[in-house]
Amino acid sequence: DVVLTQSPATLSVTPGERISLSCRASESVDTYLHWYQQKPNESPRLLIKYASQSISGIPSRFSGSGSGTDFTLSINGVELEDLSIYYCQQGNSLPFTFGSGTKLEIK
Amino acid sequence: QVQLKESGPGLVQPSETLSLTCTVSGFSLTSYSVSWVRQPSGKGPEWMGRMWYDGDTAYNSALKSRLSISRDTSKNQVFLKMNSLQTDDTGTYYCTRDVAGSSDWGQGVMVTVSS
């Protein structure tokens, strides 16, 4: 199974900052890498598909990059509503594994 | 409007079988695949398996011996059955519509395995 390692586990941020979250795959997943946001007591929400493609209705401050084994989710100007847990998921090979998440909290 | 809703028992006895239903609306099960994803409290999601749009299935190898996914297209429903439940099967179970990744999620159903 493909193992996705997300770092850092927790990130303390100041509103307005530009931040980057990392997701590293144990083997190449090409660009079959998706990012999700999960707020407390809510279902996850798809943020970015295929590493860098935007999703309708998601604010433009969210962007993704990478291919192969190294991926980044960036938030350009963090807002308070972005305090959540972010997960990556690979869709290249079965089973479609998830990372363990990065939690954003206020500094 | 795409909607998915999970239903099933909130409490299951250890060693028993879990049966969940995902009822969908706003799309056809013969055009889109549906996955089951579960999430223990405080942990990351785990992909369990998928019902492909063409009726084929795929399972997480870690669960394959205990898991079965089926569907009734006339009722717009996808079913999950998992046997020999243990306490570490406790968590929230979601069904998702898969377009690119899990693009739409149900609200989830909390399942507790306890005697």
Side-chain angles (χ1 to χ4, degrees), chain A residues 34-37 45-47 85-87 89 98, chain B residues 101-102 105:
Chain A
H34 315 298
W35 289 95
Y36 301 85
Q37 176 191 58
R45 175 175 73 152
L46 183 65
L47 282 183
I85 302 177
Y86 293 84
Y87 296 102
Q89 182 202 25
F98 287 86
Chain B
S102 291
W105 295 64

Side-chain angles (χ1 to χ4, degrees), chain A residues 25-46:
Chain A
S26 60
E27 61 187 75
S28 176
V29 297
D30 197 352
T31 57
Y32 292 92
L33 192 287
H34 315 298
W35 289 95
Y36 301 85
Q37 176 191 58
Q38 186 174 30
K39 296 183 178 181
N41 301 312
E42 293 187 7
S43 305
R45 175 175 73 152
L46 183 65

Side-chain angles (χ1 to χ4, degrees), chain B residues 3-26:
Chain B
Q3 290 188 319
L4 304 98
K5 186 170 184 179
E6 307 86 350
S7 59
L11 181 65
V12 180
Q13 304 274 338
S15 79
E16 303 261 301
T17 296
L18 173 67
S19 294
L20 298 176
T21 299
C22 174
T23 303
V24 309
S25 60

Side-chain angles (χ1 to χ4, degrees), chain A residues 9-77:
Chain A
T10 305
L11 185 60
S12 297
V13 301
T14 302
E17 266 190 276
R18 175 180 171 86
I19 64 167
S20 295
L21 283 57
S22 172
C23 177
R24 184 161 291 177
S26 60
E27 61 187 75
S28 176
V29 297
D30 197 352
T31 57
Y32 292 92
L33 192 287
H34 315 298
W35 289 95
Y36 301 85
Q37 176 191 58
Q38 186 174 30
K39 296 183 178 181
N41 301 312
E42 293 187 7
S43 305
R45 175 175 73 152
L46 183 65
L47 282 183
I48 297 288
K49 62 181 180 180
Y50 299 121
S52 62
Q53 296 183 15
S54 58
I55 301 293
S56 175
I58 300 299
S60 58
R61 62 182 179 274
F62 292 94
S63 63
S65 63
S67 66
T69 60
D70 288 317
F71 300 88
T72 300
L73 174 70
S74 298
I75 309 177
N76 189 11

Side-chain angles (χ1 to χ4, degrees), chain B residues 28-42:
Chain B
S28 171
L29 292 176
T30 58
S31 297
Y32 293 92
S33 302
V34 170
S35 287
W36 285 96
V37 176
R38 69 178 180 176
Q39 186 172 29
S41 181

Side-chain angles (χ1 to χ4, degrees), chain A residues 1 94-97, chain B residues 46-50 58-67 69:
Chain A
D1 297 359
L94 295 172
F96 299 141
T97 45
Chain B
E46 178 185 29
W47 182 85
M48 301 180 71
R50 171 184 279 183
Y59 299 105
N60 188 326
S61 54
L63 303 171
K64 189 173 184 177
S65 63
R66 301 195 287 141
L67 183 62
I69 297 174

